[in-house]
Amino acid sequence: MGFDQARANRIFLPGTYAGGVPYELFRELRAQSPVCWVEEPPVGEWPAGPGYWAVLRHADVKHVLRTPELFSSHLGATQIRDPDTAADLAFARTMMLNQDPPDHARLRRIVAAAFTPRALRELTAAIGARAAELVAAVRPLGEIDFVPLAADLPVWTLARIMGVPEQDRQLLVDWSNRVIGYQDADQARSSTADPSGGRLDGIAVAPWWRRQVRQGATGGAE
């Protein structure tokens, strides 16, 4: 079977993932064309895009990730849809995901201590306990809107890692929505936190987290 452009284009379409990850489609594409061109047809209110190269084999993906001088995360950022304006691109470039070395490495050092094997074991146990707590709280209701329940766990996890006080955790939800919202107006309008209740920086970072920031910025020297 030769390369099927229409089939490759399916990996761009949101509807392809409605029933889960299309593993069989990816297996077919890896066998036929492990680096293939994907067109970007219009989706909803989004116009057609310029298209992109999809890299599908593990070894090739590792090569791309480890060769930033050839495959930059910073140059055009890493979203499938290109930022619409220069201001949008500048905003996207502030994110760790969209940075190349040495800036990316500097930010990774800041958070590295939160992801040691010991820290991850403790975090795994805490996440499991939190999930059980959430389910136990709603089980007597019989039926609920699952979206707010599911949204709690990742925000709670990030807040725990960063030492964010309980009263400021809704800010994490709002900030993440705004990050998404520069390309999604519905998300950008979903803020619910009261900005009058805290400082502009939003959170009182725990002393542990401040130490990680200082050590990451200085290479471990206080």
Side-chain angles (χ1 to χ4, degrees):
M1 182 185 298
F3 176 69
D4 185 337
Q5 184 66 65
R7 194 156 178 76
N9 292 347
R10 287 182 55 197
I11 67 175
F12 168 74
L13 300 173
T16 301
Y17 304 89
V21 179
Y23 293 109
E24 184 58 35
L25 174 59
F26 283 117
R27 275 193 290 268
E28 291 177 10
L29 290 173
R30 276 197 301 273
Q32 297 169 8
S33 185
V35 177
C36 64
W37 181 254
V38 178
E39 297 173 351
E40 298 179 63
V43 176
E45 297 179 358
W46 281 3
Y52 60 92
W53 291 101
V55 180
L56 303 173
R57 289 192 307 198
H58 182 263
D60 294 335
V61 171
K62 284 177 62 177
H63 175 69
V64 168
L65 293 175
R66 294 178 177 180
T67 320
E69 63 273 19
L70 296 179
F71 304 99
S72 173
S73 296
H74 181 74
L75 185 62
T78 58
Q79 308 86 269
I80 291 179
R81 294 308 303 258
D82 293 334
D84 295 325
T85 66
D88 285 346
L89 177 58
F91 174 75
R93 283 174 168 174
T94 64
M95 304 175 203
M96 180 178 174
L97 186 65
N98 297 325
Q99 295 186 6
D100 294 330
D103 294 325
H104 181 82
R106 177 180 59 83
L107 292 177
R108 284 192 63 177
R109 285 197 301 270
I110 292 174
V111 301
F115 298 98
T116 63
R118 178 179 177 181
L120 288 176
R121 285 193 298 270
E122 294 175 354
L123 182 61
T124 298
I127 292 172
R130 178 63 174 177
E133 177 185 318
L134 290 171
V135 173
V138 300
R139 180 175 289 145
L141 301 178
E143 183 176 333
I144 63 162
D145 179 356
F146 188 70
V147 172
L149 182 71
D152 178 278
L153 194 58
V155 173
W156 180 90
T157 302
L158 285 173
R160 186 181 188 278
I161 292 172
M162 297 174 66
V164 178
E166 177 70 32
Q167 67 270 21
D168 287 326
R169 289 181 181 175
Q170 186 58 39
L171 283 165
L172 287 181
V173 177
D174 290 346
W175 288 343
S176 64
N177 285 346
R178 291 172 186 177
V179 167
I180 297 170
Y182 86 92
Q183 286 190 322
D184 186 333
D186 289 339
Q187 290 282 41
R189 290 192 294 264
S190 64
S191 297
T192 59
D194 180 1
S196 65
R199 301 185 308 276
L200 181 62
D201 62 5
I203 57 177
V205 182
W208 176 90
W209 186 253
R210 285 198 292 268
R211 286 199 302 275
Q212 307 314 311
V213 172
R214 289 199 300 272
Q215 292 172 3
T218 61
E222 286 283 356

